[in-house]
Amino acid sequence: MQRSFLFRTPSTLIFLGALALFTIAVTLLSDAFGAGVISTSFVKTLGKTLCLCLIAVAMDLVWGYCGILSLGHFAFFGLGGYMIGMWLMYERTKDIVTASMAQADIPPTPQEVIDAIGTQIFGVVGSSEFPLVWAFADSLFLQLALVVLVPGVLALVFGWLAFRSRVTGVYLSILTQAMTLALALYLFQNDSGLRGNNGLSGLQNLPGAGDIPQSVMSIWFLWASALALGLGYLLAAWVVSGKLGSVIRGIRDDEARVRFLGYSVEGYKLFIFVLTAVIAGIAGALYYPQAGIVNPAEIAPIASIYLAVWVAIGGRGRLYGAVIGAGFVSLISTWFTGGQAPDLPLGFYTIKWVDWWQVVLGLSFVMVTLFAPKGIGGVFDLITGQRAPERHGADLGPDKGSLQEQEALK
Amino acid sequence: MSTLLEVSGVSVSFDGFKAINNLSFQIGKAELRAIIGPNGAGKTTFMDIVTGKTRPDEGRVIWGDKSVSLLKMNEAQIARAGVGRKFQRPTVFEDQSVFDNLLLALKKDRGPLAVLLYRRTAGDREKVEQLADEIGLADHLSRKSGELSHGQKQWLEIGMLLAQEPRLLLVDEPAAGMTLAEREHTTALLVEAAKTRAVVVVEHDMEFVRRLNCKVTVLHEGSVLAEGSLDHVTKNQDVIDVYLGR
Ligand SMILES: Nc1ncnc2c1ncn2[C@@H]1O[C@H](COP(=O)(O)OP(=O)(O)OP(=O)(O)O)[C@@H](O)[C@H]1O
Ligand SMILES: [Mg+2]
């Protein structure tokens, strides 16, 4: 028998330990439960970052391990946010509407309440009717199910069509970008039923929890995000540690060879694509209540490209690399673009980071791709002394895995 | 002897160039066969057709006792039906250990769910170790296969082929880049394998083909030029003209 996978991959245990320590430390330093060193808004930023780390784990699974460069996973992330957002907004508005109607002389009929909620929510887009997609908005359970189902089904349909016709490489990436763009454009429309470019807002207020201050709520969400990241990481580590991990890494390196071994490559890709879309959806459902608002701009194609950049900088093909990349890059991005970073006067020109940060990020992506393909995670290899297989000479064939001059001579 | 694979009247062209031209070929259930022929004769393309990589323009490819057509199946289904293939260039998963390469090839349920829940048993471990022993890689099980020498990669691929337990082995130039001793070992492996299954070997090296000591098919411009024992075909004037005489 094999030893349990946890002991074969010590990095998983180390990561879970670090995550637990981090969460406890933030709690002890927070406004609500401790020293008050960390402001509530920063606790929220950290909680959101954990969600971004979770979607980075999904991205690493689909790209770093299975070789599918999806540039559309933020669509699934956004959809997860929309699904939970519908319930949050509906219930919260219902609370407000019922409270205000309670002052009236005649108690309102249920239909009047629903109409009032509709007017409240859809007034901004000049409507008051509930569109069909809101049919389950009054049920937390069903909306939670949709957090998983909507991204899952979209990924299933999209993946089935794309993988079946053997679209790979850059063409697949373009296709995933087209998918995100189409979804974003659809959501931007006022009659999409999801409030157009206003998106869903006020999500930070949990229905029926008005008495709980945001400082406490932010800690609850931090813990929930940490738990989700921990579980997601554990699941991903388990998936890649066994034989399935071996198959998908085989697909990444030489998909035709895996086919000739009798594995249906399309089925495996679809499995990974759907699984990671679901993880992304869950990450989004935890992220947006902390952000307070979800709108179509969140699904813009560029968001998914950033995701790939985080994973590349952190080091793809290793889960902790993805987490480090997402955490590190998104946090310093917030710092630079948030106007906190001091300007850099050069005499003839003053570098304002708000404008220049994107350029720096783009350059670092290029540098990492060219000079440190293993990313930040590669540092850990130096520590543990692992090295890539020694290869000699130039490639003889066109493919990556092809044998090299000096090997052939041996 | 009953036939395992029957290829009849198969043609395929690439941009108007006929790489395979009305080719017919048969092989029995436990038979060793060598295919020789000049560069570009269509030997690799023939394997591509049988394994589903290339679709022929016309012709039939009939497989097994139930006489099913391989043309209706995709690569993975054909592989599961029992056709194993070794490529001209050694293709192993360089980033994975020798052990993992062999385990990946081991005959098991290939469905994603079964693979996800797969737990390695002592029996599987033993099988892999035994295979590694056969191909002379027992001491290298934990090494990444990208570090192996060219000849060792060739063997690893042959080992992966055997691990699949196929009924038909298609082996494209197995001896390229091997030393003499390695070649002899390879011959022994293939001859042994052919006792219980069909083995088709493509090879340029005549000495190697001679040691295989089996029926030979000569391909030229996409069709069969001659067939028979090595001595028989090497006396054939056509064969001398297009292949041996050069
Ligand atoms: N996918 C393809 N597209 C276009 N032409 C092809 C393709 N595959 C093979 N050919 C051509 O078909 C012919 C037969 O090629 P094949 O690789 O089968 O030859 P071979 O007998 O294996 O030769 P070698 O001994 O060099 O390996 C060659 O002329 C080759 O250029
Ligand atoms: Mg060839």
Side-chain angles (χ1 to χ4, degrees):
Chain A
M1 283 298 273
Q2 267 173 295
R3 284 188 306 156
S4 157
F5 89 96
L6 274 181
F7 297 98
R8 281 182 284 127
T9 51
S11 65
T12 308
L13 284 178
I14 297 174
F15 171 79
L16 292 177
L19 179 65
L21 277 179
F22 168 83
T23 315
I24 292 168
V26 172
T27 310
L28 292 181
L29 293 174
S30 72
D31 261 348
F33 293 96
V37 181
I38 302 181
S39 71
T40 298
S41 80
F42 195 61
V43 171
K44 283 190 180 180
T45 303
L46 292 175
K48 285 191 289 181
T49 304
L50 292 179
C51 299
L52 297 177
C53 293
L54 179 57
I55 187 180
V57 167
M59 183 66 185
D60 199 21
L61 199 53
V62 74
W63 180 35
Y65 285 89
C66 200
I68 305 167
L69 176 52
S70 162
L71 296 177
H73 266 58
F74 249 86
F76 305 127
F77 187 85
L79 281 175
Y82 265 101
M83 290 309 128
I84 196 66
M86 283 155 81
W87 176 78
L88 286 170
M89 207 169 172
Y90 180 92
E91 286 298 316
R92 161 101 180 139
T93 316
K94 187 175 161 192
D95 282 356
I96 296 171
V97 166
T98 345
S100 74
M101 281 183 161
Q103 267 114 55
D105 299 336
I106 326 154
T109 63
Q111 190 54 45
E112 278 169 345
V113 174
I114 289 177
D115 287 346
I117 301 173
T119 317
Q120 274 286 322
I121 293 182
F122 299 106
V124 284
V125 290
S127 158
S128 62
E129 296 278 296
F130 269 101
L132 202 61
V133 287
W134 286 75
F136 306 124
D138 59 343
S139 158
L140 174 61
F141 175 77
L142 286 177
Q143 286 299 139
L144 282 177
L146 289 179
V147 163
V148 171
L149 284 177
V150 171
V153 170
L154 177 64
L156 187 72
V157 173
F158 177 88
W160 187 74
L161 290 171
F163 300 140
R164 193 186 52 132
S165 24
R166 300 216 177 153
V167 182
T168 53
V170 78
Y171 298 99
L172 187 89
S173 306
I174 292 171
L175 220 55
T176 54
Q177 280 271 283
M179 175 195 77
T180 1
L181 184 62
L183 185 67
L185 291 180
Y186 172 73
L187 290 174
F188 264 122
Q189 294 181 327
N190 279 347
D191 50 12
S192 67
L194 289 161
R195 304 196 349 139
N197 63 352
N198 305 289
L200 309 180
S201 51
L203 309 184
Q204 71 277 25
N205 306 308
L206 249 56
D211 305 338
I212 303 175
Q214 283 293 317
S215 59
V216 174
M217 195 64 85
S218 64
I219 292 295
W220 283 118
F221 268 104
L222 179 82
W223 278 80
S225 307
L227 185 70
L229 175 59
L231 290 176
Y233 192 99
L234 208 56
L235 176 71
W238 177 67
V239 166
V240 299
S241 73
K243 196 169 164 190
L244 190 110
S246 190
V247 174
I248 61 175
R249 276 179 292 141
I251 291 174
R252 174 191 68 191
D253 294 339
D254 191 342
E255 144 174 358
R257 186 72 183 88
V258 178
R259 256 186 213 118
F260 288 117
L261 283 175
Y263 294 95
S264 87
V265 168
E266 290 67 39
Y268 283 84
K269 283 186 175 175
L270 198 56
F271 174 75
I272 294 293
F273 196 69
V274 172
L275 175 69
T276 54
V278 167
I279 295 176
I282 294 172
L286 281 164
Y287 180 94
Y288 289 106
Q290 301 181 74
I293 177 163
V294 55
N295 61 39
E298 303 282 325
I299 295 176
I302 188 72
S304 299
I305 294 179
Y306 278 137
L307 179 60
V309 172
W310 298 342
V311 174
I313 291 181
R316 66 197 165 104
R318 65 182 87 213
L319 296 171
Y320 59 86
V323 171
I324 292 170
F328 176 70
V329 182
S330 74
L331 278 179
I332 70 170
S333 292
T334 322
W335 190 65
F336 276 114
T337 55
Q340 281 125 302
D343 292 348
L344 193 66
L346 293 178
F348 57 95
Y349 184 81
T350 304
I351 293 184
K352 289 202 175 64
W353 287 115
V354 179
D355 304 330
W356 279 90
W357 168 244
Q358 307 287 356
V359 178
V360 174
L361 185 62
L363 276 180
S364 11
F365 175 59
V366 173
M367 301 299 251
V368 165
T369 317
L370 289 180
F371 302 112
K374 287 173 152 191
I376 302 174
V379 174
F380 292 88
D381 285 356
L382 295 180
I383 298 169
T384 56
Q386 277 179 23
R387 266 178 292 134
E390 261 187 67
R391 306 285 301 266
H392 338 263
D395 286 352
L396 284 182
D399 293 350
K400 264 248 164 83
S402 57
L403 86 118
Q404 307 195 328
E405 272 167 2
Q406 287 160 42
E407 291 169 327
L409 293 178
K410 268 193 186 169
Chain B
M1 184 164 38
S2 58
T3 45
L4 177 66
L5 176 75
E6 184 186 344
V7 174
S8 55
V10 165
S11 298
V12 65
S13 47
F14 299 112
D15 310 316
F17 169 74
K18 275 217 157 167
I20 296 284
N21 189 5
N22 195 19
L23 175 76
S24 295
F25 176 92
Q26 282 192 356
I27 187 157
K29 286 209 172 95
E31 189 188 343
L32 181 58
R33 177 77 61 90
I35 296 184
I36 58 173
N39 290 112
K43 305 180 295 291
T44 302
T45 309
F46 160 74
M47 292 194 171
D48 287 346
I49 290 172
V50 175
T51 51
K53 192 179 176 197
T54 301
R55 299 265 161 228
D57 305 328
E58 52 186 319
R60 294 185 311 154
V61 181
I62 305 295
W63 166 258
D65 307 313
K66 296 200 188 97
S67 295
V68 291
S69 167
L70 289 188
L71 300 181
K72 293 198 185 72
M73 296 153 80
N74 64 32
E75 295 99 313
Q77 288 167 330
I78 292 175
R80 287 200 294 269
V83 180
R85 171 172 192 185
K86 190 207 146 314
F87 290 81
Q88 192 160 346
R89 228 170 8 82
T91 41
V92 295
F93 300 109
E94 309 227 338
D95 193 39
Q96 303 192 33
S97 68
V98 171
F99 187 94
D100 286 343
N101 268 276
L102 289 169
L103 193 68
L104 207 54
L106 212 60
K107 186 171 178 162
K108 289 272 159 199
D109 193 336
R110 295 306 203 209
L113 200 64
V115 169
L116 180 63
L117 301 175
Y118 169 81
R119 294 205 33 106
R120 195 178 67 217
T121 62
D124 295 344
R125 195 181 171 84
E126 231 163 71
K127 261 192 212 160
V128 168
E129 278 165 358
Q130 194 187 333
L131 275 164
D133 216 30
E134 268 179 64
I135 54 172
L137 292 177
D139 297 335
H140 304 282
L141 275 175
S142 59
R143 282 177 74 191
K144 283 206 174 181
S145 65
E147 295 176 42
L148 299 177
S149 75
H150 183 61
Q152 286 173 320
K153 281 183 196 166
Q154 295 272 41
W155 270 351
L156 175 55
E157 209 181 346
I158 294 175
M160 288 165 74
L161 206 55
L162 296 172
Q164 275 177 270
E165 298 177 25
R167 295 174 65 199
L168 168 66
L169 266 82
L170 301 171
V171 195
D172 207 348
E173 307 205 14
M178 285 187 175
T179 64
L180 186 65
E182 287 173 337
R183 278 161 192 251
E184 278 171 359
H185 187 174
T186 309
T187 324
L189 273 176
L190 293 174
V191 171
E192 178 63 31
K195 284 182 181 157
T196 49
R197 67 198 97 206
V199 179
V200 176
V201 186
V202 164
E203 189 51 72
H204 277 297
D205 181 41
M206 279 302 168
E207 270 316 299
F208 187 87
V209 174
R210 186 169 299 282
R211 270 197 305 273
L212 288 176
N213 189 24
C214 65
K215 191 170 165 185
V216 176
T217 300
V218 186
L219 279 195
H220 177 54
E221 293 182 348
S223 42
V224 176
L225 188 65
E227 206 163 66
S229 72
L230 186 62
D231 288 330
H232 170 80
V233 299
T234 48
K235 285 198 196 86
N236 183 312
Q237 192 55 45
D238 293 337
V239 176
I240 295 172
D241 287 348
V242 304
Y243 187 44
L244 302 169
R246 293 179 313 148

